[in-house]
Amino acid sequence: MRRGPPRAHPFLVTWYGAARPGPSRHSGPQHRTSDSPVHSPDELGLALAEAAVEATGAVGGYAGGVYLRSETQGLLRLAVLVGLPGELMHPWWRMHVNRPFPVAEAFRSGRSIHLADAEEAMRRFPQLMAGLPFPFGSMYAPVTGGRERYGVLAVLRPATTGQPVGEPDRRRLDQVAERLGTALAGIDSAGTPIRWSDEPIVARAPDTTRRTARIGRFEWDLGSGALIADDGLCDIIGADPEHFPRTIEALAAAVAPEDVYQLWAVAHEAGPDGTPVSRRLRLRRADGTTCLVEFTGRTVHEPPGGAGERGTGPLGGSRLTGLLVELGPGAAGGEAGDRLPEGLFSLDRAGRIAYVNRSARKLLGGTGDELAGRVLWEAVPWLDRPAYGDYYRAALLSDEPLQFQARRSEGDWVSVTFYPGHHGATCRLSALERPAYEPGSMSRPGAGIGQFASPADRASALYRPVALAIALTEAVTARQVSAVVTEELLPAFGGRQLAIYILHEQHLYLAWETGFPTGFLEPFDGVGLDARLPGVETLTTGRPIFFESMEQLAGAYPGIPLDASIGARAFLPLIASGRPVGSCILGFDQPRGFAPEERTVLTALAGLIAQALARAQRYDTEAALARGLQDALLPRRLPALENVETVARYLPGTQGMDVGGDWYDVIETGSRIALVIGDVQGHGVSAAATMGQLRSAVRAFALAGREPDEVIKGTNRLLIDLDPGQFATCCYVRLDPATGAAQAVRAGHPQPLLRRPDGTTETLDLPGGVVLGVDSDETYPVSELTVEPGAVLALFTDGLIERPGADMDEGVERLRTTLAQAGGTTIADAADRLIREARQVVDRPDDIALLLTAHWSSTDTERTLGGPPRD
């Protein structure tokens, strides 16, 4: 391992040591104090910084970095950051390898990840765009040496919307990552562990677009006019050094006529004490181009007797030595900037003020020397606020202009506009009157930009999104999801209107609305994805769209129909696991701003809503399939028999899937009939499918003439073979319509009820075996009973007698009493009465199946139940 001072590098490296104070409470700008130590990077740090700078330039990026594994298992730490302020990116200094971010996935998988733009990033890594909702592209390559995976090399670059990352750029990034991996393997083998536990090295890549300043040196004999000029001066004026006449007249010939006098002014004003004097001149080169230069000279007096052959001219016998410096267009631009009434300043990629004109100095508060070279939010206290962190990140990460309004003091507001570029951002400032609403306010008016009026406001604002997330986990259907969003999301952000659109076959359909004028949203129902509407574009681009007033919305989408509201709008993409689900619209009564933190929270919540809706769509699909399956498996009609009347009712549960495994059947077996009721454990498609198989098995055994106990035993063995671990209950009764004699077999099922002709109703006590699906050798006893003419046999599943918090016996007694009081009614009316109370229960966890069988004599014509009528 190399020791000693580090070699020179073409970039500035600043390493914030471990003694630096902890981060502030917000994710905006954070400061390095003057007492924080600055360290020179060692060989590991230099290797990382060189690779990050090389990779950033190789793929046309403007920022990059290297994440390395740390001492903590599963944790990556940002070791080097190039092209961005380290404090501004503090929330991304640490990255767990199991997080759904591209850095973590590249490390886990060992494969490079290339995200061309924000849309692709939103589809693949919505959590990344929730924290950095700006239009940029990015690339990530794992850094591997031998069998060791050390970390990830990352580059941020301008988005290439609609175009994937090119193969040459992919190859170049992989090559840099491969070279870095080889270097790290060598450092590792030399005894330096490749782990990172410090804060990141922050490096600034060189600006290759700027030309190196040219400087020429001269010596002017003021007596003779002779001029000794070096090659640099000749290069500036565009002259051939070998043929340059080397007189002051030759230099004056290259100066714009109106500036020639400045040469003589320097000679006249140069003080006898050697104080330098400077003047700006405009040169006309031989090729016709012009440039601005600074001509600086100081007097050098000849010692006594040292004039030699030098002549004596109008300026005496002294000499003038000095420099001719090409200023480039920046100096002229600075002069032009000072004439602008608006404030103008520029930032480099480290967030430092590179240029500031006279108006901007007045607004920012400070002289040029006090501001230049300092980080913006450190130099200007009123711009160092938590709410502005995302604006600075946007200015340095994206290439789209952005504007926000900032408050210098009470009643003193400034409009701040950023125009981002590859090497920094140009900023425009202008004073304005107090806005009609607080831009970026997350609370009530007057709370301040990005600040809460009180701890109670903060607690309320934080509680609502958490409550929404919790409530969404319990919502099952799309309607329930929409209701939760209405109840939780709107109050959390002060909204009054909500619309949710669901994507189906490349069209958006309105699924839920509240607060909009009646019929206003109908023209937007069913629009295609090619429509130029904010609700469509937020989904197709994957980026949220915010309008602080309806005027902004109308300006961005001329001709779009608007309601009478003047308020703000937020359009949120609903994307779940990279799959578009729909879009969500939030409306507000009044104009308002959206603070960066608020935009981030809304974007993240939109992801939760999308996940809930996707889950609800899967639920609806499965529920429809299960309902269709169950409807197909249950009897469409019961057989019409002489002397026997049967009626059945089925009621699905209200929790979870609206289908289950309850079933009933009536089977004609020659001169007798089989009455069947059963209940498969669980709900959903699986339970319904098992129910269908069992019903078919019972029917097949019954039609084959098997005895009742053999029917149940055969069904039990079949269930064990089909689905070990699945259970079911069943009650099977074979009835002779002519005599009313019956044989019953019960497998873990509730006891039937028998209502006699006089209304007396009892719960039968039939012996039985264990539930189906437990023991293939289980035997099931057969019970003999008689259903006399006028009597009713009631078979039912446990959903009819279960109530939360109530004993099962209470439910049986309630059912028995209701059946006993059904005198004077038909068997169909009796079935409706038995199930009516269950229909009124909102929270019903289980399905209900009911099968009533009445035995009539040939002389019974009215076929109504005997006994006392119900009160």
Side-chain angles (χ1 to χ4, degrees), residues 267-287:
H268 274 292
E269 296 177 9
D273 59 352
T275 302
V277 177
S278 297
R279 288 290 187 273
R280 289 188 177 181
L281 313 170
R282 286 170 176 79
L283 294 180
R284 298 182 304 179
R285 299 189 181 97
D287 60 3

Short mmCIF file of all heavy atoms in Angstrom, two decimals, residues 267-287:
data_model
loop_
_atom_site.label_atom_id
_atom_site.label_comp_id
_atom_site.label_asym_id
_atom_site.label_seq_id
_atom_site.Cartn_x
_atom_site.Cartn_y
_atom_site.Cartn_z
N ALA A 267 0.21 53.94 -18.62
CA ALA A 267 1.57 54.45 -18.49
C ALA A 267 1.60 55.76 -17.70
O ALA A 267 2.52 55.98 -16.89
CB ALA A 267 2.18 54.66 -19.88
N HIS A 268 0.63 56.62 -17.92
CA HIS A 268 0.59 57.90 -17.23
C HIS A 268 0.29 57.72 -15.73
O HIS A 268 0.86 58.41 -14.89
CB HIS A 268 -0.47 58.82 -17.85
CG HIS A 268 0.03 59.59 -19.02
ND1 HIS A 268 0.97 60.60 -18.92
CD2 HIS A 268 -0.29 59.51 -20.35
CE1 HIS A 268 1.21 61.10 -20.12
NE2 HIS A 268 0.45 60.45 -21.02
N GLU A 269 -0.64 56.75 -15.41
CA GLU A 269 -1.13 56.65 -14.03
C GLU A 269 -0.28 55.71 -13.16
O GLU A 269 -0.47 55.66 -11.94
CB GLU A 269 -2.58 56.17 -14.04
CG GLU A 269 -3.51 57.17 -14.71
CD GLU A 269 -4.95 56.65 -14.78
OE1 GLU A 269 -5.22 55.60 -14.14
OE2 GLU A 269 -5.79 57.26 -15.48
N ALA A 270 0.58 54.93 -13.78
CA ALA A 270 1.41 54.03 -12.97
C ALA A 270 2.25 54.85 -12.01
O ALA A 270 3.00 55.74 -12.43
CB ALA A 270 2.29 53.19 -13.89
N GLY A 271 2.12 54.59 -10.74
CA GLY A 271 2.78 55.41 -9.72
C GLY A 271 4.26 55.13 -9.63
O GLY A 271 4.73 54.05 -10.01
N PRO A 272 4.99 56.10 -9.12
CA PRO A 272 6.45 55.90 -8.99
C PRO A 272 6.81 54.83 -7.97
O PRO A 272 7.93 54.34 -7.97
CB PRO A 272 6.93 57.29 -8.52
CG PRO A 272 5.72 57.91 -7.87
CD PRO A 272 4.53 57.42 -8.65
N ASP A 273 5.83 54.44 -7.10
CA ASP A 273 6.13 53.41 -6.10
C ASP A 273 5.90 52.00 -6.61
O ASP A 273 5.96 51.03 -5.85
CB ASP A 273 5.29 53.65 -4.84
CG ASP A 273 3.79 53.62 -5.14
OD1 ASP A 273 3.42 53.56 -6.35
OD2 ASP A 273 2.99 53.66 -4.18
N GLY A 274 5.60 51.87 -7.88
CA GLY A 274 5.41 50.54 -8.46
C GLY A 274 4.01 49.97 -8.29
O GLY A 274 3.78 48.78 -8.53
N THR A 275 3.02 50.81 -7.90
CA THR A 275 1.64 50.34 -7.75
C THR A 275 1.08 50.00 -9.12
O THR A 275 1.14 50.81 -10.06
CB THR A 275 0.78 51.43 -7.09
OG1 THR A 275 1.36 51.75 -5.82
CG2 THR A 275 -0.64 50.93 -6.92
N PRO A 276 0.51 48.79 -9.30
CA PRO A 276 -0.01 48.42 -10.63
C PRO A 276 -1.30 49.18 -10.95
O PRO A 276 -2.09 49.52 -10.06
CB PRO A 276 -0.26 46.93 -10.51
CG PRO A 276 -0.45 46.68 -9.06
CD PRO A 276 0.40 47.69 -8.34
N VAL A 277 -1.52 49.41 -12.22
CA VAL A 277 -2.73 50.06 -12.74
C VAL A 277 -3.29 49.17 -13.83
O VAL A 277 -2.54 48.62 -14.65
CB VAL A 277 -2.41 51.47 -13.28
CG1 VAL A 277 -3.66 52.10 -13.88
CG2 VAL A 277 -1.85 52.35 -12.18
N SER A 278 -4.64 49.01 -13.84
CA SER A 278 -5.28 48.11 -14.81
C SER A 278 -6.34 48.84 -15.61
O SER A 278 -7.03 49.74 -15.09
CB SER A 278 -5.92 46.92 -14.09
OG SER A 278 -4.94 46.15 -13.43
N ARG A 279 -6.49 48.45 -16.85
CA ARG A 279 -7.56 48.94 -17.70
C ARG A 279 -8.07 47.76 -18.55
O ARG A 279 -7.31 46.86 -18.90
CB ARG A 279 -7.07 50.05 -18.64
CG ARG A 279 -6.79 51.37 -17.96
CD ARG A 279 -8.09 52.03 -17.50
NE ARG A 279 -7.83 53.37 -17.00
CZ ARG A 279 -7.50 53.66 -15.74
NH1 ARG A 279 -7.34 52.66 -14.87
NH2 ARG A 279 -7.30 54.90 -15.36
N ARG A 280 -9.35 47.76 -18.85
CA ARG A 280 -9.93 46.75 -19.74
C ARG A 280 -9.95 47.27 -21.17
O ARG A 280 -10.38 48.40 -21.43
CB ARG A 280 -11.33 46.37 -19.29
CG ARG A 280 -11.34 45.56 -18.00
CD ARG A 280 -12.72 45.05 -17.67
NE ARG A 280 -12.69 44.21 -16.46
CZ ARG A 280 -13.75 43.60 -15.94
NH1 ARG A 280 -14.95 43.75 -16.51
NH2 ARG A 280 -13.63 42.85 -14.87
N LEU A 281 -9.53 46.42 -22.06
CA LEU A 281 -9.45 46.75 -23.47
C LEU A 281 -10.16 45.70 -24.30
O LEU A 281 -10.25 44.53 -23.89
CB LEU A 281 -7.98 46.82 -23.93
CG LEU A 281 -6.98 47.61 -23.06
CD1 LEU A 281 -5.58 47.34 -23.57
CD2 LEU A 281 -7.31 49.08 -23.07
N ARG A 282 -10.58 46.12 -25.45
CA ARG A 282 -11.13 45.16 -26.41
C ARG A 282 -10.15 45.02 -27.56
O ARG A 282 -9.79 46.02 -28.20
CB ARG A 282 -12.51 45.61 -26.90
CG ARG A 282 -13.58 45.41 -25.85
CD ARG A 282 -14.90 46.08 -26.21
NE ARG A 282 -15.93 45.78 -25.23
CZ ARG A 282 -16.02 46.40 -24.04
NH1 ARG A 282 -15.15 47.35 -23.72
NH2 ARG A 282 -16.98 46.07 -23.20
N LEU A 283 -9.76 43.78 -27.83
CA LEU A 283 -8.80 43.50 -28.90
C LEU A 283 -9.53 43.01 -30.14
O LEU A 283 -10.54 42.30 -30.05
CB LEU A 283 -7.79 42.45 -28.45
CG LEU A 283 -6.83 42.80 -27.31
CD1 LEU A 283 -5.92 41.61 -27.03
CD2 LEU A 283 -6.02 44.04 -27.64
N ARG A 284 -8.95 43.39 -31.28
CA ARG A 284 -9.42 42.84 -32.56
C ARG A 284 -8.31 41.98 -33.12
O ARG A 284 -7.25 42.47 -33.50
CB ARG A 284 -9.76 43.98 -33.53
CG ARG A 284 -10.88 44.88 -33.04
CD ARG A 284 -11.21 45.94 -34.06
NE ARG A 284 -10.01 46.74 -34.41
CZ ARG A 284 -10.02 47.74 -35.31
NH1 ARG A 284 -11.14 48.04 -35.95
NH2 ARG A 284 -8.91 48.41 -35.57
N ARG A 285 -8.58 40.66 -33.15
CA ARG A 285 -7.56 39.74 -33.61
C ARG A 285 -7.47 39.77 -35.13
O ARG A 285 -8.37 40.27 -35.83
CB ARG A 285 -7.87 38.31 -33.15
CG ARG A 285 -7.91 38.12 -31.63
CD ARG A 285 -8.00 36.64 -31.31
NE ARG A 285 -8.08 36.39 -29.87
CZ ARG A 285 -9.21 36.18 -29.21
NH1 ARG A 285 -10.36 36.21 -29.86
NH2 ARG A 285 -9.17 35.95 -27.91
N ALA A 286 -6.41 39.16 -35.62
CA ALA A 286 -6.20 39.12 -37.07
C ALA A 286 -7.28 38.33 -37.78
O ALA A 286 -7.57 38.59 -38.96
CB ALA A 286 -4.81 38.53 -37.35
N ASP A 287 -7.88 37.36 -37.08
CA ASP A 287 -8.92 36.54 -37.73
C ASP A 287 -10.29 37.21 -37.67
O ASP A 287 -11.29 36.60 -38.05
CB ASP A 287 -8.98 35.16 -37.08
CG ASP A 287 -9.30 35.23 -35.59
OD1 ASP A 287 -9.53 36.34 -35.06
OD2 ASP A 287 -9.32 34.16 -34.95
#
